[in-house]
Amino acid sequence: MGEEKAEGKIAAGKGAWETVEDKFIEIFSSPKLAIFIFIILAVLSVFGTMIEQNREPSMYIAAYGDKWYGVIRGLGLTDIYHSWYFSLTLILLSVNLAVCFFRRLPPKWRLIRDKSVVMAEDAILRQKNSARLNHNMSLQHIKDSVFGLLRKKGYKVTTAETGSDVSIFAHRGAIGRIGSDITHVGLLIIFLGAILGSFMGFKGFATIFEGETKHIKEGGFELRVDKFWIEYYDDYRPKGFFSTLTVIDNGKDVLKKTIKVNDPLRYKGIWFYQSSYGQAWDRIDKARLFVYERETGKFVAEVIADFGKEIEVPNTNLKLKIIGFVADFFYDTASKEVFSKSIEHNNPAMQIEVYEKGILKTAPWVFAKYPEAFLDKSTKYFIEAAGYQAPQYTGLSITRDPGVNIVWVGSTLLTLGLFLSFFVIHKRIWVKIVDKNNKVDIYVGGNANKNKINFDKDFSNLINELNRIEK
Amino acid sequence: MINSFLWVDVTFWLYLASCAFYIFYGLFYKNNTLGQLGTVTAVAGFITNTLALGYRAYEAGHAPFANLYESMLLFTWATVLGYLMMEFKYKFRIIGTFVMSIVFFSILTIIWLLPYRYQNIDPLNPALQSLWLEVHVTTTFIGYAAFAISFGISIMYLLKNWVEKKSSDSGLKKFLLRFPDLNILDDLNYKSIAWGFPFLTIGVITGAVWANYAWGTYWSWDPKETWSAIVWLIYAGYLHARVTHGWRGVKTAVFAIIGFLAVIFTYWGVSFILPGLHAYA
């Protein structure tokens, strides 16, 4: 990153429009603006991490109070990364990057393509590093030696005969000059990919029960969840969450894969990620029920009842049928309806129809966590829900992002550009060998665009080796 | 019994010794032996630090990058390695006084400050089971280490710059005047950041690639992600200010110090204060 400071001088005698254009280019290619934009983006991002983003209003009101919530919301601080001023700053940055790129690249490109070999002796001696030496050897021998030496050091060497003299130009690492430009283009490409992704992609989430099939409308195919399970370490910490998925396209099973965290399924550009899991909140597969005599508390029988199916209770004339389930029981007194307050199994309850001699007697709610809440006295029995099994669902993130590969291309260029600009030095050396009747004068000059201390060493090594050229 | 905790303890004492030798070398400047002892103990500490990480990986059965305790061992490891390379190349042993102090303070932090449960070897949770763990963490911490070295050098710059203007002839002044020339410190500061910045960049990008595999999105403005972007912006600002805009000296030293404070917040502050998806370290 050693480009010269660019000055945007406005030449006299230009039209008003050209002056405006020059002014625009000058402002947008100045490093001051870049630094200013970095600071703005950093400060806005700090705000974004200090104030939680995209939460429900009640959370903000609890944390900041009504009045401040209005202010924070009004300023867009609850979704700062999508606010107009954040977007505007990113646009400014993009313009800054593009203007810099188009302004700085052409002169650098001309410089690295520059193949002018011949340089006058005094110009050579005016280089940052220079030396003059002589040998009692033939011009041709010196020329071959210098040529070989520079080639061995990895330089690209070109020579030109100028009358009785020989000129040599050698350089290496020219690509290092445009490292910063490659980085800037990489960043622009990342932005492009991000914009493409946000307009053409989608992010969704689905909960699918084992055995269920879901239509994926964005891809025009079906996805079936065959199985979901959790594996544990010896200390009962989860080791992995797994879903076996089958893609059904045109009625045929076309792809089957067991996904886990870090290992998604991909089909037709749509990715399915293992994201969460849980149990149904509105139904169960089966329940284990205990039946007692209410008066004596005597245990009568245990049955495993399938959801929605009548089951006979041994030793009695009872039949039971589970007809409803809620994971988090709530009774709405206004509508007189039962529903689940949440999807958490906080207060699981099931409604059971009780038939005596084939006649429906009652249909009480049985609370799995509070057996003593069974107050129904229609029969002489007391029913307890000892356990139940609810269908499991897997939570899948479903995304399509056509910009993501563009983002990776940009990221690669960005990184490559950084390494080029920090570690690849453009070193240039000019040599002129002047023939003086079987003696030669050698003029050597050179410079490097960065890490000049390193080049000082290189150059003095080169001069030492040139001094030691033998016949 | 030889295990990773033993090696961590040995590393702690070696880094303490190295830090002390460098400080005494700095204060009693005619004694080169002290400086050499500083280097030797730093190298020895680096070796035992490597063993601590190796044993830890062996005991855990995975790369030892799963929590703060483990990543701090990687941080000290990378910082000492970076410093020793710099000492070998440029021979400014006095810089060790500052860098080894940072390293000693870091290892002291994990032994004394960090709650004991962090030392447990835990199995990898599902989100961490990825090939990207090694490359993401390693590159990020090479970046952090380089920024730590730059921080030490920036402090030296400010101290020397401050004392050069003072007329008194105190012992402190003698100590500070032994620091390398201001322009050399400024240059070494730049060189550290020139190493740190590309590695931080790779760390952020590999983190994004990993996030895309694990969470289905390469960027979700999670606090850790956002703070790594803030750090990136600060050092990008430093580089543009120094290389393109021609800033030198105090201004760039202050820039680099702010950068490292942001690194500390990204690394520790976000983990404890701003919980998010990236809640391991």
Side-chain angles (χ1 to χ4, degrees):
Chain A
M1 288 184 121
E3 52 264 50
E4 290 80 36
K5 224 173 133 179
E7 299 288 338
K9 291 262 157 54
I10 299 163
K14 280 191 174 184
W17 176 246
E18 282 172 329
T19 313
V20 170
E21 200 182 294
D22 283 347
K23 198 83 191 158
F24 172 84
I25 289 172
E26 189 192 337
I27 290 169
F28 274 95
S29 63
S30 85
K32 258 190 226 163
L33 180 72
I35 296 163
F36 181 70
I37 291 172
F38 294 157
I39 292 170
I40 300 265
L41 284 176
V43 169
L44 293 178
S45 300
V46 170
F47 274 114
T49 61
M50 295 300 161
I51 298 165
E52 285 195 71
Q53 299 291 294
N54 296 308
R55 293 287 302 269
E56 59 280 6
S58 58
M59 176 260 145
Y60 294 110
I61 292 165
Y64 305 103
D66 253 333
K67 202 178 120 198
W68 280 105
Y69 171 59
V71 174
I72 289 168
R73 219 185 108 88
L75 291 172
L77 294 173
T78 56
D79 190 14
I80 197 164
Y81 307 114
H82 302 99
S83 64
W84 64 267
Y85 46 86
F86 199 84
S87 305
L88 180 71
T89 318
L90 286 176
I91 292 168
L92 280 180
L93 179 61
S94 307
V95 174
N96 189 202
L97 284 165
V99 170
C100 266
F101 176 77
F102 287 111
R103 183 168 187 192
R104 283 160 183 265
L105 188 63
K108 282 197 255 176
W109 190 252
R110 280 196 293 276
L111 185 113
I112 66 178
R113 304 288 299 169
D114 186 13
K115 287 278 171 0
S116 47
V117 176
V118 182
M119 189 183 268
E121 290 93 321
D122 56 336
I124 288 178
L125 293 178
R126 277 201 308 272
Q127 294 298 315
K128 180 82 178 35
N129 299 72
S130 66
R132 182 183 171 175
L133 40 130
N134 50 58
H135 275 298
N136 292 325
M137 281 172 253
S138 76
L139 182 75
Q140 191 58 37
H141 178 68
I142 293 293
K143 180 195 157 190
D144 292 345
S145 304
V146 173
F147 190 88
L149 201 57
L150 288 166
R151 278 287 282 271
K152 209 178 76 201
K153 289 175 180 291
Y155 283 83
K156 272 190 222 121
V157 193
T158 35
T159 58
E161 313 263 337
T162 45
S164 59
D165 309 332
V166 169
S167 288
I168 297 175
F169 171 64
H171 74 152
R172 58 174 297 179
I175 191 86
R177 281 207 189 254
I178 58 166
S180 57
D181 304 282
I182 293 175
T183 292
H184 290 169
V185 168
L187 200 55
L188 279 172
I189 292 175
I190 291 174
F191 288 166
L192 197 72
I195 292 167
L196 198 70
S198 69
F199 284 107
M200 314 252 307
F202 76 91
K203 286 191 203 311
F205 179 80
T207 56
I208 310 174
F209 288 96
E210 282 182 341
E212 267 185 15
T213 302
K214 187 177 165 60
H215 178 65
I216 309 299
K217 62 174 190 298
E218 293 86 354
F221 57 86
E222 324 281 324
L223 184 78
R224 186 177 69 228
V225 175
D226 297 319
K227 200 167 152 48
F228 168 79
W229 75 100
I230 305 173
E231 284 179 10
Y232 295 92
Y233 289 111
D234 292 341
D235 64 355
Y236 302 109
R237 287 172 211 249
K239 183 180 183 182
F241 309 103
F242 303 86
S243 300
T244 304
L245 308 178
T246 302
V247 175
I248 306 159
D249 204 353
N250 282 324
K252 269 182 244 152
D253 289 9
V254 290
L255 181 62
K256 193 184 185 91
K257 181 178 179 181
T258 297
I259 64 161
K260 58 180 184 195
V261 181
N262 279 315
D263 188 12
L265 164 78
R266 191 182 150 192
Y267 185 71
K268 285 192 171 170
I270 299 181
W271 296 61
F272 299 90
Y273 298 86
Q274 183 64 56
S275 167
S276 68
Y277 63 94
Q279 287 184 307
W281 57 91
D282 60 350
R283 61 196 147 132
I284 52 177
D285 288 330
K286 52 190 164 190
R288 181 191 299 268
L289 304 174
F290 291 163
V291 180
Y292 302 88
E293 276 180 15
R294 193 174 52 254
E295 296 294 324
T296 60
K298 193 181 137 226
F299 178 75
V300 179
E302 173 193 333
V303 291
I304 307 279
D306 286 328
F307 192 81
K309 274 190 199 151
E310 274 183 26
I311 185 161
E312 283 185 35
V313 182
N315 315 323
T316 66
N317 47 21
L318 288 186
K319 277 184 183 171
L320 303 178
K321 182 178 168 189
I322 303 169
I323 58 161
F325 176 83
V326 287
D328 196 356
F329 184 88
F330 187 77
Y331 179 67
D332 184 38
T333 47
S335 66
K336 297 198 163 59
E337 271 177 30
V338 168
F339 56 87
S340 192
K341 232 178 358 182
S342 71
I343 62 166
E344 306 300 329
H345 287 230
N346 291 332
N347 185 11
M350 58 196 81
Q351 193 177 19
I352 302 176
E353 285 183 346
V354 182
Y355 296 85
E356 206 167 27
K357 294 176 188 164
I359 298 156
L360 176 64
K361 283 282 178 184
T362 178
W365 282 91
V366 178
F367 298 88
K369 283 189 181 166
Y370 309 103
E372 67 278 10
F374 187 85
L375 303 171
D376 188 272
K377 296 199 169 72
S378 314
T379 69
K380 61 172 186 168
Y381 297 103
F382 178 96
I383 303 166
E384 183 185 333
Y388 62 89
Q389 196 181 343
Q392 295 214 84
Y393 67 79
T394 183
L396 302 178
S397 289
I398 306 172
T399 69
R400 183 175 60 201
D401 189 344
V404 74
N405 286 325
I406 296 172
V407 170
W408 302 144
V409 169
S411 303
T412 309
L413 286 176
L414 187 147
T415 312
L416 179 75
L418 289 177
F419 278 94
L420 289 178
S421 66
F422 287 124
F423 300 117
V424 178
I425 306 163
H426 189 204
K427 297 172 181 173
R428 292 185 294 173
I429 290 168
W430 291 268
V431 183
K432 184 151 193 181
I433 310 165
V434 181
D435 194 12
K436 295 217 170 126
N437 303 329
N438 284 336
K439 279 172 139 190
V440 288
D441 281 347
I442 310 172
Y443 299 85
V444 193
N447 63 42
N449 69 325
K450 60 202 145 207
N451 204 346
K452 291 171 173 121
I453 302 166
N454 170 297
F455 186 70
D456 288 346
K457 264 188 225 152
D458 277 13
F459 194 81
S460 61
N461 284 341
L462 176 72
I463 299 303
N464 286 337
E465 285 171 75
L466 288 177
N467 271 323
R468 286 201 302 269
I469 292 176
E470 285 164 17
K471 276 187 182 164
Chain B
M1 199 184 98
I2 293 173
N3 60 25
S4 61
F5 294 113
L6 176 79
W7 290 120
V8 173
D9 287 343
V10 175
T11 308
F12 171 82
W13 292 109
L14 285 169
Y15 284 162
L16 170 63
S18 173
C19 182
F21 282 133
Y22 275 113
I23 288 172
F24 284 120
Y25 163 75
L27 295 175
F28 309 108
Y29 53 96
K30 287 200 174 120
N31 198 332
N32 254 327
T33 317
L34 284 169
Q36 281 157 0
L37 281 169
T39 309
V40 167
T41 43
V43 171
F46 175 73
I47 292 168
T48 58
N49 195 343
T50 313
L51 288 168
L53 285 166
Y55 268 81
R56 185 96 185 171
Y58 172 72
E59 289 158 11
H62 55 76
F65 307 150
N67 62 28
L68 262 178
Y69 180 81
E70 293 176 345
S71 62
M72 281 297 277
L73 288 175
L74 181 67
F75 173 71
T76 57
W77 184 86
T79 309
V80 175
L81 177 64
Y83 168 69
L84 286 172
M85 279 163 54
M86 185 181 248
E87 185 184 295
F88 181 74
K89 189 164 179 199
Y90 298 102
K91 321 273 186 235
F92 293 119
R93 218 170 232 144
I94 191 86
I95 293 173
T97 313
F98 284 78
V99 176
M100 288 313 292
S101 299
I102 297 170
V103 167
F104 171 67
F105 184 76
S106 305
I107 198 159
L108 183 75
T109 309
I110 58 164
I111 285 188
W112 283 5
L113 278 184
L114 209 58
Y116 194 72
R117 67 192 151 85
Y118 280 90
Q119 300 189 11
N120 291 343
I121 293 174
D122 291 331
L124 279 185
N125 77 40
L128 290 180
Q129 296 164 16
S130 168
L131 293 172
W132 292 102
L133 173 67
E134 283 86 357
V135 39
H136 168 63
V137 178
T138 314
T139 49
T140 305
F141 277 80
I142 291 173
Y144 285 1
F147 295 143
I149 294 169
S150 135
F151 173 73
I153 294 171
S154 299
I155 302 268
M156 292 174 79
Y157 186 98
L158 293 183
L159 286 172
K160 180 154 185 174
N161 184 61
W162 166 69
V163 85
E164 273 191 350
K165 288 181 193 140
K166 293 184 75 172
S167 52
S168 74
D169 211 27
S170 62
L172 180 68
K173 183 165 181 176
K174 273 187 195 151
F175 169 57
L176 295 176
L177 285 179
R178 299 193 53 226
F179 292 0
D181 286 347
L182 286 177
N183 57 356
I184 289 175
L185 287 172
D186 189 71
D187 194 52
L188 290 175
N189 190 5
Y190 168 73
K191 284 200 164 72
S192 309
I193 291 171
W195 274 92
F197 192 70
F199 278 99
L200 174 76
T201 307
I202 298 178
V204 173
I205 290 170
T206 51
V209 173
W210 186 3
N212 192 47
Y213 268 98
W215 302 323
T217 171
Y218 55 86
W219 195 263
S220 50
W221 295 107
D222 174 78
K224 195 69 122 187
E225 284 175 350
T226 309
W227 270 93
S228 69
I230 292 166
V231 168
W232 195 86
L233 286 166
I234 293 172
Y235 286 108
Y238 169 95
L239 290 167
H240 283 82
R242 192 181 188 282
V243 178
T244 327
H245 199 45
W247 279 19
R248 290 288 186 280
V250 175
K251 284 193 278 191
T252 42
V254 170
F255 227 130
I257 287 170
I258 294 170
F260 189 64
L261 295 179
V263 167
I264 294 174
F265 190 79
T266 308
Y267 182 16
W268 279 69
V270 174
S271 297
F272 285 106
I273 301 167
L274 305 170
L277 291 167
H278 198 289
Y280 344 101

